[in-house]
Amino acid sequence: MIAFAWTARRGRRRGHQRPGSRRRSTGSVIASGYGRNATNSGRVTRPTRPPTAPLTSGVVRYGGDVVTYDDLTLEDLQVRTLGEPTFDSPLAEYVADRTTNAYYVAEDDRVLVDDTITLLQRRGDITLSEVPSYEPGGPRRKIFFDPATTKAGIVTCGGLCPGLNDVIRALVLELFEHYGVTDVIGFRNGYAGLVPGAAPDPIELTPSFVKTIAERGGTVLGSSRGSQDVGVMVDNLVDKGVDILFVIGGDGSMRGAHAIAEEVTRRGLPIGVVGVPKTIDNDIPLIGTSFGFQTAYAKAAESIKAARVEVEAAINGVGVVKVMGRHAGFVACYSALANHDADFVLIPEVPFTLEGENGLLAQLRKRVRERGSAVIVLAEGAGQDLIPASRRTDASGNQILGDFSGFLRAQIARDFKNRDEPLTLRHFDPGYIIRSVPADPADSVYCTRLAQAAVHAAMAGRTDMVVGRPRHRFAHLPIEEVTKRTQQVNPDGDLWLSVMESTAQPLTMR
Ligand code: F6P
């Protein structure tokens, strides 16, 4: 047995009991928990002193507070299931006698949350069977739903993201071709499509319909923001005989999916709700990188390259490239790193000032004097504390951000003018372009595999969960757990460090 060492850290962080985290006396939802089935309860010991330094790497930030993965417990990660799987899976032969190896996680194994010794040690005195872990994705030998009588529905919600059509296509193909589920409908225009009369009627999805849809960006089903009445949506699912609902959407949409799953549970219905998280901002925690993100930042990198070319050909050229990223600067960081073309990267997670010796304007002047030009990559949510706050929200309840980009350009122009220095200011906004392009091949592969994992999970009866790829392993995660926090770039993490190295911008501009 593996030996570790740590100090005691007992008890739960929160007092709540996840609904369905143990077998219920009423209703149909039970836990698919590791703890319940765990056979290895051996306590582990360690040879070294427990570290005392605060955890700063691999963190998720929420509302300014650093939240760490070492907050997560095994119980938090229990995924619910609709009941015992009793049907032989048509994919059983694919997995027949497979056991875990370095490239495959068997269904009775678990994927660890912590991937360093130190992180594991910080959990204190716990046993192997208590170590936080994810249920692995993949086909099961037994499934809950009888493919012959199963009906699935798919809905896409929220803003666009490369790969939506890839996910729809792969869901349909997996359902039809591997499970033999031939009754699949697509709800139109987001959750509005689940409310009769609020959107066009659902469409039938077949392999021939979805065959070529991934060649274009966007979603063939349409999308929308905003919430709908959960009771009405569940009534409609029942009315249409939908057994499984696949929701492809962002954190708000996943909260909606959770609400639907809860209502389904409350009514004791055997309807599964499985999500494929979508966020171009890459701001959903625990799921690994979100699909479409890679395509998006690659596209944004093209604008940064264009800015570089423009400003280098000009006298005192300054390019400002505004990219998406309301509260998370991942697109800005990755697109800037892609070509080493950025001089400054501004993200919501790292505050800065404009004025003063260390402020951005002084640093920009210095860079332009030294190199003749400069490119600033700006996440849309950066610098919001430097302009008046907007009180407006969109249909999903997101705050509508102020135009910091416009403000910044005005300040740069003023600053150079005040010093009688020439300036050629160029502005680039790849915004919606990066969301509407088709997925690149790597993202297409990722979308396909996520969708396959979603179908395997749903057919096995999992519900109220999303698929993700934490630690590069396909896994199931409870919706509640991925929606209670927002993932942001950690200023103390290695990504921001790489950005600092690549741009050579000052560590702090305050
Ligand atoms: O949340 C994803 C996102 O693309 C943000 O980066 C951006 O601020 C927002 O959506 C744009 O929303 P909308 O599609 O409503 O204009």
Side-chain angles (χ1 to χ4, degrees), residues 159 225 280-281 324-326 380 394 432 435:
R225 290 195 185 279
I280 200 153
D281 295 350
M324 285 199 169
R326 232 193 299 251
E380 61 181 326
D394 68 13
Y432 292 100
R435 311 199 311 191

Side-chain angles (χ1 to χ4, degrees), residues 158-161 225 250-251 278-283 323-328 331 380-381 394-396 398-399 401 431-432 434-435:
L160 294 184
C161 179
R225 290 195 185 279
D251 54 351
K278 169 233 65 166
T279 157
I280 200 153
D281 295 350
N282 197 35
D283 58 356
V323 297
M324 285 199 169
R326 232 193 299 251
H327 305 294
V331 174
E380 61 181 326
D394 68 13
S396 303
N398 301 304
Q399 188 194 352
L401 299 175
Y432 292 100
I434 73 169
R435 311 199 311 191

Side-chain angles (χ1 to χ4, degrees), residues 111-347:
V111 176
L112 294 180
V113 170
D114 301 316
D115 64 352
T116 80
I117 299 291
T118 300
L119 292 173
L120 207 43
Q121 284 178 333
R122 284 186 178 138
R123 295 205 178 268
D125 186 13
I126 59 174
T127 64
L128 258 189
S129 62
E130 295 168 317
V131 170
S133 57
Y134 308 105
E135 181 175 76
R140 269 52 184 163
R141 292 174 183 81
K142 291 277 186 188
I143 54 177
F144 177 78
F145 287 107
D146 177 2
T149 59
T150 298
K151 179 169 184 173
I154 302 174
V155 63
T156 52
C157 312
L160 294 184
C161 179
L164 286 164
N165 282 336
D166 298 75
V167 175
I168 296 167
R169 180 183 62 178
L171 289 172
V172 172
L173 294 181
E174 189 67 20
L175 284 163
F176 269 78
E177 291 174 359
H178 282 124
Y179 284 95
V181 173
T182 56
D183 197 358
V184 185
I185 58 171
F187 291 100
R188 307 294 312 282
N189 299 353
Y191 281 135
L194 270 83
V195 174
D201 285 343
I203 51 175
E204 201 185 320
L205 294 173
T206 61
S208 62
F209 180 90
V210 299
K211 196 167 172 225
T212 57
I213 60 173
E215 289 168 15
R216 272 175 81 89
T219 160
V220 281
L221 298 179
S223 191
S224 66
R225 290 195 185 279
S227 52
Q228 306 293 336
D229 187 296
V230 175
V232 172
M233 290 194 285
V234 174
D235 286 346
N236 194 24
L237 291 176
V238 173
D239 210 44
K240 296 208 159 39
V242 170
D243 301 292
I244 299 169
L245 178 67
F246 293 100
V247 179
I248 313 167
D251 54 351
S253 316
M254 288 306 148
R255 276 185 213 105
H258 177 59
I260 292 172
E262 296 244 287
E263 177 63 12
V264 160
T265 303
R266 201 185 61 75
R267 297 189 192 181
L269 298 169
I271 298 177
V273 181
V274 171
V276 182
K278 169 233 65 166
T279 157
I280 200 153
D281 295 350
N282 197 35
D283 58 356
I284 297 183
L286 302 174
I287 61 165
T289 303
S290 54
F291 76 80
F293 172 68
Q294 172 175 295
T295 304
Y297 77 71
K299 195 72 193 164
E302 290 177 13
S303 294
I304 301 172
K305 172 64 71 193
R308 181 88 260 162
V309 170
E310 277 288 336
V311 299
E312 279 183 356
I315 295 168
N316 281 1
V318 172
V320 177
V321 186
K322 181 178 127 184
V323 297
M324 285 199 169
R326 232 193 299 251
H327 305 294
F330 291 103
V331 174
C333 290
Y334 275 85
S335 57
L337 283 171
N339 292 321
H340 281 262
D341 279 325
D343 293 276
F344 299 93
V345 176
L346 307 177
I347 60 173

Side-chain angles (χ1 to χ4, degrees), residues 23-37:
R23 191 177 288 274
R24 292 168 159 245
S25 50
T26 57
S28 58
V29 177
I30 60 171
S32 69
Y34 176 66
R36 196 161 52 86
N37 302 321

